[in-house]
Structures are given as structure tokens and as C-alpha cells.
Amino acid sequence: MVKRRNFLLAAGLGLAAASGSSRAEQDDMTPADTPQPSRNGIALALGGGAAKAFAHIPFLETLDDMGIRPQQIAGTSMGSIIGALYCGGMSGRGIREFALETFSGGPSLFKRLLLDTGDNWSSLFNLFRPAVIEPEVLLKSLLPEGFPDRFSDLDIPLKVVATDFYGQSQKIMSEGPLLPAIAASSALPVLLTPVRVDGRVLIDGGFVNPTPFDILDSSRYATIGIDVTGSDDEDTGEIPSSMDTWTGSMSITQHSIVLEKLQTSQPDLFIAPPVGQFETMDFFEIEAILAAASEQQDVFRQGVESILQNQP
């Protein structure tokens, strides 16, 4: 799995030059008096992956260090939450500090917010007594004070992806109330209840578009996708537990969707940080996830620099 992600990463890094060459060839075939659109700046897609999405934070910090402000961000599930924080004015460093403060306190946090019966995580998946949480209530408890109320309050335009449960299709939200949108995008079945937005019943966006680089405006901006759907799980000789099967099945589905999308549509830069050894619910492994993602910061910086060098 690591080799496959490295291959995709290498393909993404080479794409900026390749796409520039392709555009040049198209320009040669276009009449000189026909104005050609030019792209200026970057647009960023932050993929879903629950706890593994903490890996987005070091790359936001890198953009801050480079003095680069994305012109547009798209996010799915946990990626939409981090994207909303960033678009709302928090720096990458600020998001890191907030996330560490929230999730470094140990399991007592989730026991207080989710489980008041003294049960453990496995009780959430008891088929006869499901512990279903309202995602808007959960997020309201976790998000920092001053979190923007509406998309229009954001400093950077944001697109949030959710899955239309009955429509069996993608729902993209970019206006209106912000909290219901990211709650819907993060509404992981069984754990979190679906959310109704604009009359539609919505669940986690990872089922239709885990890393939504294809909804970015590629005609105006160079596009970057950060994907955290990969897994390094290996056969240990034991049958996976119910939770491992549930989370693993979702990871397989989401990673398959991303790989299939890359066959037909590619961002200018595609980054897959090495966080496949972590599980979907490893929220309290945040420090290790951040450290693992930081290993790709230099590669990310070089890729962004390469993209910007090809812009006017």
C-alpha cells in the first residue's frame, strides 16, 4: 500500500510540468487572437479519513510558512471540518494547537461527550442498542468559540461534500449555515445520525467523494489534493473484529473511489501522507499522526513551488 501511495505521489508531483506542457501544445493549436484563461493561485482539497485527517494540518502550516493563501478549499468529512477552521481564519499552527488541546487529554473527552453509561467504544456498534449521536450537537461541543455561522462569514471560499442518502448522489454545499453542512459531511453511519439540509437527508461525504479535488475550479487555480484514505493493514492471521471490519470496509471503499478518480481526473499536485498505519478512530494518536504527515512537508513544499513557477 505504501508503494502504491508513493507512486501516486510521484505522479502528482510530475503532473504540474506535464499539464503545463499539455496546455502549451493546446495553445499552439489555438488562433492567436483567441484569449486564453490563465490560472493564478492554488485551490486545495482536504480529504476525509476521520482521525487520519489530522494529517492535513502540517500542510496548512507549510502554506502559512510559504505565505501562500489558497483561493478555494473543498473538504469531505473531517477534511471539511479542518477546512472550515482554516477558511474561518485559523492558521495551521492554531488548528494544531486547538486539536492537540482537544484530543491529547485521553479517552475521557469522548467518554464525557459521547458515552455517559461507562461503556466502551464497542457499545457504539451494538446492533440491538446503537448509540447514535447528533453530529451538530457533537461539533458544537467540540468546535472553538467564534466558529463562523455561515459560509459567507469565511475568509476563503469553501465547498463541503456530503452524500445524499436517498438521491444516492453527491451534495456540494457552499452557502447557507456552515455547521449543518460540515455535520452532514461528517455523519458517519451508525455512529452519527444523518443530517437534513435543504430538504435532503445527508450522510458522510466519503461515500461519494472522499478527496474532492475534482470539484475545485481547475480553470482558475492550480489544484492540490491531500488524500488520507490509504491503509497499511496486513493479515495477522486473525479475523478482524466488528469495528475493524466496519472501519476497514469504509477505508477500502473510499480509497478505491480515489484511485478510480485518478484514472480520469488528476489534480496538479496529489499528496498521500504516510498515515496508513493509523485507524479511522485513532483520534488520541493525534501527535503520532501529525509527526507522520510532517515527513512529507518538504515534498509538499517543492510541489507547490513547482506549480507556482509555471504560473504568470
Side-chain angles (χ1 to χ4, degrees):
M1 188 66 72
V2 173
K3 291 182 179 179
R4 178 164 58 181
R5 289 207 308 275
N6 287 341
F7 169 78
L8 291 173
L9 179 60
L13 284 173
L15 188 59
S19 60
S21 174
S22 175
R23 287 193 294 274
E25 292 174 1
Q26 292 175 1
D27 289 346
D28 290 341
M29 300 169 61
T30 304
D33 58 350
T34 301
Q36 294 298 303
S38 61
R39 302 195 301 172
N40 189 14
I42 65 169
L44 181 65
L46 304 178
K52 292 189 288 185
F54 287 136
H56 295 312
I57 296 174
F59 302 113
L60 297 178
E61 292 176 314
T62 297
L63 291 178
D64 290 342
D65 291 342
M66 298 175 71
I68 296 173
R69 174 189 174 93
Q71 301 301 304
Q72 181 186 68
I73 291 179
T76 295
S77 196
M78 187 68 170
S80 75
I81 298 173
I82 293 176
L85 292 171
Y86 194 70
C87 292
M90 289 185 73
S91 65
R93 172 63 63 179
I95 297 174
R96 174 190 287 263
E97 293 173 352
F98 168 73
L100 285 171
E101 179 182 353
T102 303
F103 292 98
S104 293
S108 60
L109 170 66
F110 269 63
K111 183 176 180 181
R112 182 177 71 253
L113 291 177
L114 303 182
L115 303 174
D116 57 6
T117 63
D119 293 333
N120 55 34
W121 278 104
S122 62
S123 68
L124 294 174
F125 303 93
N126 185 322
L127 295 179
F128 301 99
R129 188 177 57 79
V132 182
I133 311 303
E134 292 285 348
E136 290 185 68
V137 174
L138 173 63
L139 289 177
K140 190 176 294 185
S141 300
L142 291 175
L143 290 171
E145 293 185 10
F147 184 78
D149 291 329
R150 304 182 65 83
F151 279 91
S152 57
D153 297 327
L154 299 174
D155 298 333
I156 300 172
L158 174 68
K159 293 183 177 182
V160 173
V161 175
T163 300
D164 186 325
F165 183 77
Y166 291 111
Q168 300 182 17
S169 60
Q170 174 175 260
K171 170 73 171 178
I172 301 174
M173 295 163 283
S174 59
E175 58 183 16
L178 182 58
L179 183 62
I182 62 174
S185 181
S186 309
L188 201 60
V190 178
L191 178 58
L192 300 174
T193 59
V195 177
R196 190 178 289 275
V197 176
D198 296 333
R200 307 303 300 176
V201 175
L202 306 180
I203 62 173
D204 195 291
F207 291 102
V208 288
N209 201 345
T211 306
F213 54 80
D214 56 321
I215 70 171
L216 297 171
D217 190 348
S218 60
S219 66
R220 300 176 62 191
Y221 314 116
T223 57
I224 300 173
I226 304 178
D227 176 65
V228 294
T229 62
S231 173
D232 296 339
D233 287 345
E234 297 182 357
D235 189 348
T236 62
E238 298 181 358
I239 298 297
S241 67
S242 297
M243 175 175 279
D244 289 340
T245 302
W246 177 71
T247 58
S249 297
M250 287 190 298
S251 293
I252 292 169
T253 299
Q254 293 175 5
H255 194 55
S256 297
I257 292 172
V258 173
L259 291 177
E260 189 64 28
K261 279 180 30 178
L262 286 168
Q263 300 299 314
T264 58
S265 174
Q266 298 177 334
D268 292 273
L269 177 62
F270 184 86
I271 295 289
V275 292
Q277 71 271 33
F278 300 101
E279 301 297 334
T280 301
M281 305 304 290
D282 279 347
F283 286 96
F284 301 112
E285 297 293 331
I286 179 172
E287 294 187 31
I289 293 171
L290 291 171
S294 297
E295 297 176 7
Q296 293 291 325
Q297 281 182 287
D298 287 342
V299 174
F300 179 72
R301 180 188 295 271
Q302 293 168 12
V304 173
E305 290 174 344
S306 177
I307 287 173
L308 296 180
Q309 286 175 0
N310 291 327
Q311 292 188 350

